[in-house]
Amino acid sequence: QVQLVESGGGLVQAGGSLRLSCAASGLTVGSYAMGWFRQSPGKEREFVATISRRGGTTVYADSVKGRFTISRENAKNTLYLHMNSLTHEDAAAYYCAAKTTVLAGQLTTGYPYWGQGNQVTVSS
């Protein structure tokens, strides 16, 4: 049974940093294209960042480019999202997702595996 469990969220001041983790079981992160998505109340879930199955290709939403970094550690079977210079617009529930294709995609459809979400709150 596949499980993706996010952690590392919480309350952070504007301008601060957080690192989200997504621990996988039942699948090997190095064999899947993976992504981070986020959802705020009343909004649709949106793409944040993706990493290809072999890790050579990363793609970022324009809103986070230069501030967020997606990476993974195969030895720990874990996906990460390093977030810097956080703003109120970054406050959301963050979800990791996995798919079996080589390249990840920016659409939520096509990802069969999802975590339960982890809340990030940004204070003034």
Side-chain angles (χ1 to χ4, degrees), residues 33-111:
M34 301 195 71
W36 286 98
F37 295 79
R38 65 187 182 188
Q39 187 168 19
S40 302
K43 295 186 177 181
E44 291 189 354
R45 193 168 297 185
E46 65 176 6
F47 151 75
V48 175
T50 59
I51 186 167
S52 62
R53 190 166 69 190
R54 295 189 178 92
T57 301
T58 56
V59 181
Y60 297 92
D62 288 343
S63 60
V64 307
K65 202 172 294 183
R67 300 187 298 121
F68 290 13
T69 302
I70 187 171
S71 65
R72 63 177 167 217
E73 188 170 357
N74 291 345
K76 293 187 176 181
N77 213 29
T78 300
L79 178 75
Y80 299 103
L81 184 68
H82 300 256
M83 306 185 293
N84 297 319
S85 303
L86 286 160
T87 73
H88 294 106
E89 285 68 36
D90 297 315
Y94 283 73
Y95 299 84
C96 65
K99 63 191 304 187
T100 58
T101 54
V102 173
L103 295 177
Q106 300 180 22
L107 300 178
T108 56
T109 55
Y111 284 87

